[in-house]
Amino acid sequence: MDYIAMVMMIVNSYLDLYPNLITPTAAPPEIDPMFNGRVIYSYFVTGPDPATIQDIINRGVVNTTHGSFRALPFHPPMPDPFAMTLSGFTYLEVHNFEVWQQVITQLSQNQNFLNFVMTHRDAFAINTPHNVVLTTTLNSTRAHYLVMGQQQGTPRLYWNIYIDPPTLIIPSYLEWITLLRSIQFHTALYGTGTAIARVFDCQRCGSIDHPTGHCPLLNVQGWITTANTNNNQTAQQARGGARGGRGGRGGRGRGRGCGN
């Protein structure tokens, strides 16, 4: 698929309807390179004012000489694979596998975790064996690092942990998140990982697994930044100053708002 052509089609179709309004920015999807199936691709569009956004959503389908697309309101999905951000480890950036292994080992030994998966498993078919539910849930764990600057210039690593929840029921999901964030992950040599008390809150995309300075949307060509700021220069600065790891098991999954 030609993502650039699709972005231009969306933008030009929008301008066909609203030629006098600000040009929107359309972000292409982030696709797992190992995925070979067929899927409906979604593009995240920002820029229009709230009234224009509502008008587009009310239309449902935008159809102009430049092309057609279906407009849907953006609501981050719940439940979400993002589980928690851990601090306190002294692991390095090359230790994605070790962090992943430490997390799943201790989860598999935590009785509260095991009891929850046994009793809240509605995301699976009713006849799925319990050992399959447990193994699938544990193996869905991913660990991604964030390099965060600290005072006096000393960087610190935080670790985002993603686990596909075994439940799709919102109250049960909230209980699941509370349980995971209460667990301390002790190591013999690399400190103790504990969930940060307050999750991040990105002011650009609404995600809770990274702060605003780490927002990946800044890397999208032409992304709207602050007024009178060169977009390309800002994006380059963001790429240089906000590093994030995509290690652990699998490469999918970010927090809400980033297009899981």
Side-chain angles (χ1 to χ4, degrees):
M1 173 177 288
D2 189 338
Y3 295 118
I4 296 178
M6 291 297 296
V7 166
M8 293 307 300
M9 183 276 290
I10 293 173
V11 171
N12 288 328
S13 296
Y14 169 89
L15 293 176
D16 286 340
L17 295 177
Y18 313 101
N20 298 321
L21 298 182
I22 186 173
T23 301
T25 297
E30 185 176 279
I31 305 299
D32 187 335
M34 301 301 293
F35 179 74
N36 295 318
R38 301 181 64 182
V39 67
I40 297 176
Y41 294 101
S42 299
Y43 289 71
F44 183 65
V45 179
T46 188
D49 60 88
T52 304
I53 292 175
Q54 190 59 54
D55 183 60
I56 295 174
I57 292 173
N58 291 342
R59 289 174 179 268
V61 175
V62 174
N63 183 20
T64 76
T65 56
H66 281 100
S68 303
F69 63 87
R70 178 169 175 77
L72 298 170
F74 175 69
H75 294 299
M78 286 268 296
D80 191 88
F82 174 67
M84 54 192 160
T85 299
L86 297 178
S87 66
F89 283 142
T90 58
Y91 288 110
L92 302 178
E93 297 174 37
V94 296
H95 290 149
N96 275 299
F97 177 79
E98 287 79 0
V99 173
W100 169 80
Q101 191 173 50
Q102 192 67 236
V103 169
I104 66 168
T105 297
Q106 295 196 37
L107 287 178
S108 66
Q109 298 170 353
N110 185 286
Q111 194 59 50
N112 290 332
F113 175 87
L114 298 176
N115 289 340
F116 186 95
V117 175
M118 181 180 297
T119 56
H120 301 78
R121 38 171 293 169
D122 55 273
F124 294 84
I126 193 170
N127 59 344
T128 305
H130 174 65
N131 65 310
V132 174
V133 173
L134 178 60
T135 300
T136 302
T137 301
L138 286 172
N139 285 343
S140 72
T141 304
R142 286 89 72 192
H144 301 168
Y145 66 81
L146 278 176
V147 181
M148 301 288 289
Q150 298 292 320
Q151 290 183 350
Q152 301 177 346
T154 302
R156 177 178 296 181
L157 285 185
Y158 288 76
W159 295 89
N160 284 332
I161 305 300
Y162 304 83
I163 309 174
D164 294 344
T167 179
L168 301 178
I169 300 172
I170 299 303
S172 298
Y173 165 74
L174 297 177
E175 183 181 346
W176 159 260
I177 290 298
T178 299
L179 168 63
L180 291 177
R181 295 177 185 176
S182 70
I183 299 173
Q184 294 187 332
F185 298 89
H186 300 281
T187 70
L189 300 175
Y190 295 96
T192 297
T194 58
I196 60 176
R198 184 176 180 180
V199 296
F200 297 119
D201 181 17
C202 179
Q203 298 301 303
R204 288 190 175 90
C205 70
S207 292
I208 60 174
D209 66 346
H210 62 262
T212 304
H214 284 245
C215 186
L217 294 184
L218 285 176
N219 295 332
V220 177
Q221 185 176 4
W223 191 261
I224 298 174
T225 58
T226 55
N228 302 320
T229 300
N230 182 279
N231 289 341
N232 293 332
Q233 180 181 3
T234 303
Q236 184 63 39
Q237 291 172 348
R239 283 192 288 270
R243 293 179 290 157
R246 294 186 60 79
R249 291 278 293 196
R252 63 191 179 92
R254 282 199 177 100
R256 290 191 294 277
C258 275
N260 286 320

